[in-house]
Amino acid sequence: MWLKKAPVNLFSLALLIAALYFTIFATNPYAIGAFVFLLLCFFKHHWKNTVSLKFVGVIGAFFLAYFLFLHHRAAIQDKQAPSEIKQVVLVADTISVNGEQLSAIGKAKGQTYQIFYRLKSEREQHYFKTVSRTPVLRGKIKVSPATGQRNFQGFNYQSYLASQGIYRIAKIEHLDSVAPLKSISPLTFFHQLRRKALVHIQTHFPNPMRHYMTGLL
């Protein structure tokens, strides 16, 4: 009920916050331009409404401080990232197999990585296509920065990953072992639950229905 009493349109406020997030994390002309445009539109409609301006100012200051804190923490983690790791825990519902290429988001010692691995056999391919529990991978894993923008108006993979709080790519050169994570958190449980649903759709539904359902999920 209190949402209806807010002095501003909450959808517009959400757009402003989202634009602020990408302005800080992506830091490209498009993100900055979108934020400035939305901010000007807001001021145009609420210039004489001091209550709305104060409300958005307080909310905006809170999210600005929060996003800057996240950005600062991520920058510190980025500088402290090792050149090699020996173990990584994959986020279950981010696992994707495209031919011989495995990709996923992984975590190791408080750091988040974009994981890549070239599958060596059909057995490995089948395992990662159907696994639903959170896998722990051990082996020789090289860590490197993501590739930035290579040409004008080209895709900036580094900024794309940074918008998700990822600053390093981890390539598994040699995989020694794979085992399910023994102790899971509530968040990990929900990732596993979503992964089970994704695997069920991929194995029980025909094309193109599986792609539609996977996209919706």
Side-chain angles (χ1 to χ4, degrees):
M1 183 64 69
W2 66 271
L3 294 175
K4 296 180 179 179
K5 297 180 180 180
V8 297
N9 184 290
L10 295 182
F11 178 73
S12 300
L13 180 60
L15 283 178
L16 269 175
I17 293 171
L20 176 63
Y21 175 87
F22 284 102
T23 298
I24 293 173
F25 283 89
T27 317
N28 60 56
Y30 302 107
I32 297 172
F35 176 70
V36 172
F37 174 75
L38 291 172
L39 194 61
L40 290 174
C41 289
F42 176 82
F43 280 126
K44 181 180 178 181
H45 289 86
H46 298 87
W47 182 250
K48 296 181 179 180
N49 191 333
T50 56
V51 176
S52 298
L53 293 177
K54 289 179 180 178
F55 179 79
V56 172
V58 172
I59 298 296
F62 169 80
F63 278 99
L64 177 62
Y66 178 63
F67 292 155
L68 288 175
F69 165 74
L70 292 180
H71 190 271
H72 176 69
R73 187 179 65 177
I76 292 175
Q77 290 179 346
D78 180 44
K79 292 179 181 179
Q80 296 175 346
S83 59
E84 185 176 323
I85 54 178
K86 296 182 179 179
Q87 176 177 303
V88 65
V89 179
L90 302 188
V91 179
D93 58 345
T94 66
I95 297 173
S96 175
V97 175
N98 184 10
E100 296 180 345
Q101 181 74 38
L102 166 71
S103 63
I105 293 174
K107 296 182 180 294
K109 296 182 179 180
Q111 300 274 5
T112 303
Y113 302 95
Q114 177 63 49
I115 308 295
F116 292 105
Y117 173 58
R118 188 176 182 83
L119 299 165
K120 302 297 190 297
S121 65
E122 291 185 3
R123 183 180 178 182
E124 284 187 346
Q125 191 177 56
H126 175 74
Y127 172 80
F128 285 108
K129 277 185 175 180
T130 58
V131 65
S132 56
R133 297 183 64 185
T134 301
V136 180
L137 279 56
R138 296 181 178 87
K140 186 178 181 181
I141 308 172
K142 289 288 185 179
V143 177
S144 62
T147 304
Q149 188 174 359
R150 293 183 175 179
N151 50 62
F152 180 68
Q153 290 190 342
F155 178 67
N156 193 325
Y157 189 54
Q158 192 175 50
S159 293
Y160 168 74
L161 291 179
S163 68
Q164 302 178 66
I166 303 172
Y167 293 87
R168 285 290 187 272
I169 288 176
K171 294 183 178 179
I172 303 173
E173 296 186 348
H174 184 268
L175 188 60
D176 293 329
S177 66
V178 181
L181 186 65
K182 295 180 180 179
S183 178
I184 65 172
S185 65
L187 182 59
T188 303
F189 170 78
F190 284 110
H191 281 300
Q192 288 188 169
L193 195 64
R194 184 171 180 269
R195 174 64 182 174
K196 288 179 181 178
L198 290 169
V199 171
H200 180 79
I201 290 170
Q202 291 294 326
T203 55
H204 289 82
F205 290 86
N207 288 328
M209 187 181 295
R210 73 173 64 172
H211 299 301
Y212 297 147
M213 295 183 68
T214 299
L216 288 172
L217 184 61

